[in-house]
Amino acid sequence: MTVRLAVKASARQQGFTLIEVLVALAITAFVAAAAYAGISTVLDGAGQLRSVAQRTEALERALGFLDRDLRQFVDRPVRDEYGEEQPALSGGPLAYFPLSLTRDGWYNTQQLPRSDLQRVHYYLEEGVLWRAYYPVLDRLPNTPRLAVRLLDDVEALEVRFLPDVDRLEVNRDGIVDTSNWERNWLVDRSGANPALVPPMAVELRLDLGDSGQIRRLYVLPES
């Protein structure tokens, strides 16, 4: 009798019932799903932070180029590949480039036989802001144009030009009103004097697809 009871008790203690197995699987699945959701949220957050950091870095880099070029502007006209003189600064919707200028301070760490002045252009192409430059100031038809990709997702690039101090207006909040500034700064080829004096100041507007409009004002240095 004692032996039979022991055998029956031992048989009841071996293995799990189907319900116990299903419950264990359900708990394991729930824990795994919760853990995956947590990890996925962390990874998504890290990816978004990385994207924001990369976007901020690209924006600061692009604005850094613009800041340096405009703050180091120099009144030095150049000759294009057709031999025609181009003003030291030009731009606007009617110009070939929205902004073209000659700037000083082009580092020459390799001691190449070239000037410290540089001719640069800014333009948009399929939503990308580009900065182009030439290795020489007065170029030939075969002079290569080099371009650097600065910033993606740019919807518009607008430049305005202050011709003289009479056009300078500041509102009550201390904000400069540029609504009456020139939209184009171009040589009048039909006039008797094709020379173009540089403007006093330049306003730059960048419309970004993800963060709205960025507005910068630059007072050009006197040459």
Side-chain angles (χ1 to χ4, degrees):
M1 172 74 82
T2 304
V3 174
R4 261 193 229 128
L5 290 175
V7 172
K8 289 182 180 180
S10 177
R12 286 197 301 269
Q13 292 174 359
Q14 291 177 354
F16 298 94
T17 65
L18 178 59
I19 295 178
E20 291 173 334
V21 172
L22 292 176
V23 171
L25 289 175
I27 294 174
T28 302
F30 175 79
V31 173
Y36 175 80
I39 294 174
S40 178
T41 301
V42 172
L43 292 177
D44 289 344
Q48 291 176 0
L49 288 175
R50 190 180 303 110
S51 298
V52 171
Q54 292 174 348
R55 178 66 170 172
T56 302
E57 181 181 0
L59 179 58
E60 290 179 350
R61 177 172 175 266
L63 293 176
F65 272 106
L66 285 161
D67 288 350
R68 287 190 296 271
D69 288 345
L70 285 165
R71 295 186 191 282
Q72 297 184 90
F73 164 77
V74 61
D75 187 7
R76 201 290 197 179
V78 301
R79 293 199 175 274
D80 62 17
E81 58 269 29
Y82 304 108
E84 294 186 359
E85 184 175 283
Q86 300 297 330
L89 186 146
S90 62
L94 299 181
Y96 191 80
F97 294 104
L99 180 62
S100 299
L101 68 135
T102 306
R103 51 97 70 177
D104 198 356
W106 187 14
Y107 293 120
N108 193 0
T109 56
Q110 298 180 354
Q111 300 299 313
L112 300 175
R114 64 164 174 79
S115 171
D116 292 334
L117 304 181
Q118 186 183 41
R119 186 67 172 184
V120 299
H121 310 279
Y122 287 90
Y123 62 96
L124 282 184
E125 189 174 88
E126 297 181 354
V128 178
L129 176 64
W130 292 85
R131 178 186 185 269
Y133 65 96
Y134 293 93
V136 295
L137 291 175
D138 303 315
R139 56 188 184 272
L140 300 174
N142 61 347
T143 302
R145 188 177 79 193
L146 308 175
V148 178
R149 188 185 189 118
L150 291 182
L151 191 62
D152 295 344
D153 197 17
V154 181
E155 297 179 348
L157 167 63
E158 183 182 357
V159 185
R160 298 186 183 186
F161 310 90
L162 176 66
D164 52 61
V165 71
D166 293 335
R167 296 270 195 100
L168 183 62
E169 296 181 3
V170 182
N171 62 24
R172 295 179 179 179
D173 298 325
I175 299 175
V176 177
D177 181 8
T178 61
S179 59
N180 64 338
W181 289 22
E182 296 291 338
R183 263 58 169 184
N184 292 282
W185 199 259
L186 298 170
V187 172
D188 183 7
R189 299 293 182 184
S190 64
N193 183 10
L196 183 65
V197 177
M200 294 187 61
V202 171
E203 181 196 45
L204 185 76
R205 297 185 182 187
L206 285 174
D207 289 335
L208 306 181
D210 56 354
S211 54
Q213 187 180 86
I214 292 179
R215 179 173 178 256
R216 291 290 183 95
L217 289 174
Y218 301 93
V219 177
L220 297 182
E222 297 182 1
S223 300

